Amino acid sequence: MFNIILFGPPGSGKGTQSEKLIAKYNLKHLSTGDLLRSEIANGTPLGLEAKKLMDAGQLVPDEVVVGMISSALDANQQVNGFLFDGFPRTTAQAEALDKLLKLKGTEIGVVLALEVSDAELVKRLLNRGLTSGRSDDTNETVISNRIVEYKNKTAIVADYYKKFDKARAIKGEGTLDEIFDALSKEIDLRQSEK
Ligand code: AMP
């Protein structure tokens, strides 16, 4: 199994690049944002609670997302590997993920951190809001809250993986194909080192 974390601020292109990467490397895509939105669409109690925080651009509690990831790992035993998108977003989530993967006899292979300027992030998110149907993409205050949450709680997660020499920074600006090629190059390199 080769497991990847696609890391980066909201609007850095994680979702778009994830789609291309799972097709190329035959991975199971696990996006906590998508899992939460499906809980909301199904009107579950978890979804109703999460929606309030998501609409404010704040993070959902660690136990909630870790629980969802744990179930998703159990439900997908026979896969080549996982691509984590939007998770982990706190150091506590990163530690919990390490433990869960260890129980399954596997680990994170590489963390690919997309880097995009703040101005570009806001531009992309507002643009995405025109078609995504996501209320958290249309309001500039919510967008800036999401970026603040990233800076306060999530950016340090990259340092956690740097300790284990697993994090790689990738320029998240350029054409989709240029970014995809840069991500693929790092994955191929890491896989060849295994
Ligand atoms: P995303 O689709 O990754 O942009 O996530 C949308 C929203 O879902 C975030 O703004 C958070 O409110 C929530 N969310 C998604 N993933 C996580 C996570 N790993 N930890 C906490 N909250 C999350």
Side-chain angles (χ1 to χ4, degrees):
M1 249 197 192
F2 191 79
N3 305 301
I4 299 169
I5 295 174
L6 194 52
F7 189 80
S12 56
K14 298 189 297 295
T16 310
Q17 293 294 338
S18 287
E19 293 303 328
K20 291 164 76 72
L21 290 170
I22 56 164
K24 176 164 180 180
Y25 294 99
N26 193 17
L27 301 168
K28 173 72 187 167
H29 185 197
L30 289 185
S31 152
T32 39
D34 286 351
L35 291 170
L36 288 164
R37 281 184 288 277
S38 116
E39 295 282 341
I40 294 173
N42 292 329
T44 66
L46 188 158
L48 291 176
E49 269 313 300
K51 187 175 185 322
K52 293 182 211 152
L53 293 160
M54 291 166 78
D55 283 349
Q58 288 166 1
L59 293 187
V60 169
D62 290 336
E63 315 81 75
V64 174
V65 283
V66 169
M68 288 191 326
I69 288 289
S70 174
S71 309
L73 294 180
D74 287 343
N76 294 280
Q77 308 272 3
Q78 306 297 329
V79 294
N80 264 347
F82 293 98
L83 175 66
F84 297 97
D85 160 10
F87 179 89
R89 261 173 154 103
T90 63
T91 304
Q93 291 179 22
E95 287 167 355
L97 178 62
D98 274 353
K99 284 194 191 129
L100 289 172
L101 292 177
K102 202 168 178 190
L103 285 173
K104 307 230 167 274
T106 184
E107 62 178 1
I108 292 298
V110 68
V111 178
L112 302 168
L114 289 168
E115 295 188 339
V116 177
S117 72
D118 284 0
E120 176 71 13
L121 293 177
V122 175
K123 201 174 93 191
R124 285 189 193 177
L125 287 167
L126 285 171
N127 199 32
R128 186 168 86 186
L130 299 174
T131 53
S132 70
R134 283 181 54 173
S135 56
D136 60 346
D137 284 345
T138 45
N139 179 314
E140 222 165 316
T141 311
V142 176
I143 288 177
S144 87
N145 285 349
R146 289 162 66 197
I147 296 173
V148 168
E149 284 279 78
Y150 176 81
K151 291 193 172 157
N152 288 343
K153 299 178 186 165
T154 307
I156 48 165
V157 177
D159 296 336
Y160 173 83
Y161 289 105
K162 272 183 207 149
K163 279 194 302 205
F164 308 107
D165 192 28
K166 287 186 175 176
R168 292 286 175 271
I170 306 282
K171 194 167 153 248
E173 297 187 44
T175 67
L176 282 186
D177 285 341
E178 279 165 358
I179 301 166
F180 182 61
D181 288 346
L183 292 166
S184 301
K185 216 171 107 198
E186 280 299 338
I187 295 170
D188 295 344
L189 195 69
R190 272 284 152 159
Q191 285 190 330
S192 70
E193 285 168 4
K194 264 190 87 184

